[in-house]
Amino acid sequence: MPELPEVEVVRRGLQDHVAGRRIERVEVLHPRPVRRHLPGPEDFALRLTGDRLLDPARRGKYLWLPLESGDAILAHLGMSGQFLVQPQDAPHERHLRVVLDLEGGAQLRFVDQRMFGGLTISADAAAPPTEIAHIARDPLDPAFDDAAFVERLRRRRTGIKRALLDQTLVSGIGNIYADEALWRARLHFARPTDTMRRAEAQRVIDAAREVMTAALAQGGTSFDALYVAVNGESGYFSRSLEVYGQAGEPCSRCGTVIRRDPFMNRSSYTCPRCQPRPRNARW
């Protein structure tokens, strides 16, 4: 699933290519991606036609495109959602779901193979939209409060990776960047949060900010064609991953073989030497 760097790459692409353009026509090719717009696909298309896209914004893994009317298009990419900007005469992608014809001859296309993502219209001018008001700020947000995060983290009784994946505590971090941040911070994913010193908690959020900034500079992490920027290009941070997906490879810091453990129906990757498992581990 795209995490903060990948979604921010998409937001920047939308800023460059569609902000300020009027929507001339909307076509919903499959109803599932607009399932959360309860009035239905026809109303979705009618509400957007004639409106103008303003500067796109992001909170964690969510995107929204404010509209001149005061509404906003709220988007979540899910596992495989993509926004692509194409000429109107470009061939349709195989999994094209929603098309917005924009003034000037461009199309904004929502492509989603697995259709876990989706689009809806948020009917007020809140920022962020009320539907995602419960989502916490992310580490790259200038208003993110490090001290408040550290205190909230240390009051929890859970493992540090579970805490990092809780989008109500800190948003934008998923499986990939949690593992990478914990490797940089030299902490095991099952370290109990209520045993962490303030300096350790700060080290984790600093590491998360550092690794996601590095990923953003490289266009994010792409393992396949399911994540691309709005121009169809893939990110290349996968070449810089230290532990995620590296089971059996030597740690670049100490040479110990990277270990894979099952975690929440997924996987966690650690260096057993740099990130020793705590005796009171909480998974």
Side-chain angles (χ1 to χ4, degrees):
M1 181 179 292
E3 301 179 31
L4 185 157
E6 293 76 43
V7 178
E8 176 61 14
V9 167
V10 173
R11 189 204 66 78
R12 293 181 181 184
L14 295 174
Q15 176 70 52
D16 292 342
H17 295 287
V18 307
R21 296 201 189 197
R22 189 172 299 280
I23 302 168
E24 296 182 336
R25 189 176 74 95
V26 178
E27 185 177 9
V28 179
L29 301 175
H30 197 292
R32 182 167 172 77
V34 297
R35 61 193 178 279
R36 293 185 179 87
H37 183 73
L38 299 182
E42 291 184 4
D43 182 81
F44 180 86
L46 182 64
R47 291 268 297 276
L48 295 182
T49 300
D51 216 332
R52 187 179 298 277
L53 296 165
L54 303 180
D55 294 342
R58 179 188 54 75
R59 171 65 65 88
K61 304 175 189 178
Y62 282 88
L63 281 169
W64 69 95
L65 291 84
L67 300 167
E68 195 172 50
S69 65
D71 293 342
I73 304 172
L74 179 60
H76 192 277
L77 301 181
M79 294 290 291
S80 57
Q82 303 171 355
F83 276 118
L84 299 176
V85 178
Q86 298 278 34
Q88 291 187 5
D89 59 356
H92 281 192
E93 292 78 11
R94 180 179 178 186
H95 302 292
L96 181 60
R97 309 304 185 190
V98 180
V99 180
L100 279 65
D101 287 348
L102 307 178
E103 64 180 349
Q107 285 185 337
L108 177 59
R109 299 180 176 184
F110 185 71
V111 178
D112 194 354
Q113 177 180 330
R114 300 178 181 174
M115 291 195 288
F116 294 149
L119 309 175
T120 190
I121 297 175
S122 181
D124 59 49
T130 54
E131 293 88 344
I132 60 169
H134 63 289
I135 301 294
R137 294 185 183 274
D138 63 68
L140 300 190
D141 188 324
F144 185 85
D145 188 331
D146 283 28
F149 166 80
V150 166
E151 293 308 312
R152 291 183 64 197
L153 178 71
R154 295 177 69 239
R155 286 197 298 265
R156 299 201 172 198
R157 296 179 60 83
T158 187
I160 179 58
K161 184 172 179 179
R162 281 183 180 269
L164 292 176
L165 297 181
D166 182 349
Q167 302 298 295
T168 66
L169 175 66
V170 56
S171 68
I173 303 175
N175 210 38
I176 296 173
Y177 298 113
D179 281 358
E180 292 295 304
L182 291 170
W183 179 83
R184 292 183 181 222
R186 295 176 178 258
L187 291 171
H188 192 275
F189 66 87
R191 171 70 181 271
T193 52
D194 55 327
T195 70
M196 293 177 66
R197 296 185 293 274
R198 285 183 176 83
E200 291 176 316
Q202 184 64 54
R203 199 164 77 226
V204 169
I205 201 63
D206 287 345
R209 187 177 288 122
E210 179 183 277
V211 71
M212 290 194 293
T213 299
L216 182 57
Q218 296 183 38
T221 301
S222 299
F223 291 111
D224 53 36
L226 295 184
Y227 163 68
V228 292
V230 298
N231 60 2
E233 294 183 355
S234 298
Y236 52 93
F237 190 68
S238 58
R239 304 171 191 171
S240 302
L241 294 173
E242 297 286 357
V243 286
Y244 184 85
Q246 305 301 309
E249 298 297 323
C251 171
S252 66
R253 195 160 49 201
C254 72
T256 304
V257 173
I258 299 299
R259 173 188 173 95
R260 173 194 170 276
D261 289 293
F263 176 82
M264 295 175 61
N265 296 318
R266 288 174 282 185
S267 298
S268 275
Y269 298 88
T270 56
C271 170
R273 183 174 180 181
C274 295
Q275 302 165 268
R277 179 179 173 179
R279 294 180 181 178
N280 55 346
R282 289 199 185 118
W283 291 46

